[in-house]
Amino acid sequence: MHPRQLMNMHQLHASKARGQNFLTQPATSQAVVDSAGIQPGDTVLEIGPGLGALTMAAAGLAAKVIALEVDRGVFEVLGRILAEKGITNVEPRLQDVLKVDWRELAAKAGSPLVILSNLPYNITSPLLFNLMKAPSCWRSATMMIQREVADRLVAKPGGKQWGRLSVMVQTYCNVRQGMVIGRKQFFPEPKVESQVVHLNLRESPMVPIAEQAPQWFGEVVKAAFSQRRKTVANSLAAGLGRERTAIAEALEAAGINPGMRAEQMDINQLGVIAEALDVPAA
């Protein structure tokens, strides 16, 4: 049944604030799920299942699907749909994914999670940053996101799209872009196109400091890109609350030009900076 009909039947309205855009084509939903590489023993964590377009396809492949939905009305309708179809290996949860304990979820699953989502645009960046903080808890992620953000995830140094999100995701993951999904395949129709992205965790992060001191590496990257028009020395001094002179000296000693801008730097250079500035004492 078309999402419009389901919404009308249950007196629901799509929430712009929550970025609700429901897939309308079953073939597209199946293609997205098929591309996720789900194995029979996997536990899939679906973020924002909505009315179950991806959920039901994933349930046919995985051992279990945990479906996190934040909208109570949609959550209740999803439960009814699953019951009507006799799908028993899906566990819907009324829960905000930005507040979950990833380690607890993975521990209960007994293995790293496979993540699947038609991701609301407004939580894309915070969710991805959260995932990079918990790399032991999941194995892969297949997500539909705003096409512009998908381009940022595969960006290279030197351009405007290269930024904190690009660095953090590429440090921990191999990133591959998948199919583009047009606006007309959603209800309500969004203003932008979506694209599937596939994130597969690397065996180890691209730079050692990201594994040895992940929180510090994240803070350094955030500070470096906090004032894109300024030099990296100035950005780091402001973002980390340290003296610019000391920052500049440490960078020069490590072979990094303090007059560069962060958008000119690759991940290895940012790793060198994080090591050069010393991890603060706990």
Side-chain angles (χ1 to χ4, degrees):
M1 187 179 295
H2 193 282
R4 181 191 287 107
Q5 293 173 284
L6 279 170
M7 299 288 279
N8 289 340
M9 182 186 303
H10 295 282
Q11 298 181 319
L12 295 175
H13 301 279
S15 169
K16 288 185 178 180
R18 287 178 171 154
Q20 290 177 337
N21 301 97
F22 304 101
L23 272 171
T24 63
Q25 302 297 322
T28 301
S29 301
Q30 188 66 55
V32 172
V33 171
D34 288 344
S35 74
I38 298 169
Q39 301 301 311
D42 285 339
T43 295
V44 171
L45 181 77
E46 185 182 4
I47 300 163
L51 299 173
L54 299 180
T55 316
M56 290 181 281
L61 298 176
K64 182 176 182 179
V65 178
I66 300 170
L68 303 186
E69 177 57 59
V70 74
D71 185 303
R72 182 175 294 276
V74 171
F75 169 79
E76 292 175 354
V77 172
L78 175 64
R80 292 176 205 161
I81 292 171
L82 294 171
E84 289 169 3
K85 294 186 176 294
I87 296 173
T88 59
N89 64 333
V90 175
E91 179 187 344
R93 294 188 187 180
L94 187 63
Q95 192 169 11
D96 184 346
V97 70
L98 297 181
K99 299 178 181 178
V100 301
D101 184 330
W102 288 100
R103 287 165 181 79
E104 180 183 357
L105 279 173
K108 287 183 177 179
S111 61
L113 301 160
V114 173
I115 296 169
L116 180 68
S117 184
N118 172 15
L119 198 60
Y121 296 153
N122 58 341
I123 68 166
T124 301
S125 291
L127 174 69
L128 288 171
F129 287 132
N130 284 353
L131 286 176
M132 298 311 117
K133 295 174 184 176
S136 64
C137 301
W138 58 284
R139 185 183 82 223
S140 66
T142 296
M143 301 175 172
M144 283 179 282
I145 62 176
Q146 188 173 341
R147 192 172 183 182
E148 179 185 349
V149 179
D151 288 339
R152 286 166 58 195
L153 296 186
V154 296
K156 301 299 180 186
K160 291 182 179 179
Q161 292 179 320
W162 180 249
R164 178 189 171 203
L165 187 62
S166 319
V167 170
M168 295 306 297
V169 171
Q170 290 181 32
T171 295
Y172 291 96
C173 302
N174 291 304
V175 186
R176 179 171 60 86
Q177 290 178 312
M179 68 184 79
V180 174
I181 302 176
R183 294 176 291 175
K184 294 187 181 300
Q185 295 207 47
F186 295 92
F187 172 80
E189 186 176 319
K191 294 181 179 179
V192 297
E193 288 187 324
S194 295
Q195 183 161 24
V196 175
V197 292
H198 302 282
L199 309 182
N200 288 283
L201 280 171
R202 299 178 183 274
E203 290 187 9
S204 58
M206 283 191 69
V207 290
I209 190 70
E211 186 168 28
Q212 297 159 3
Q215 183 175 344
W216 174 241
F217 177 71
E219 289 177 9
V220 169
V221 173
K222 181 179 180 179
F225 285 96
S226 62
Q227 301 181 61
R228 295 180 66 101
R229 294 186 179 182
K230 293 190 176 182
T231 66
V232 70
N234 286 337
S235 294
L236 289 168
L240 299 175
R242 296 191 182 186
E243 291 291 332
R244 186 200 179 282
T245 301
I247 294 273
E249 289 175 354
L251 297 189
E252 288 176 346
I256 301 289
N257 178 359
M260 292 178 69
R261 290 184 172 85
E263 68 182 31
Q264 300 171 293
M265 296 182 164
D266 61 25
I267 292 170
N268 288 324
Q269 289 171 305
L270 290 161
V272 168
I273 289 173
E275 291 179 353
L277 296 182
D278 296 326
V279 180

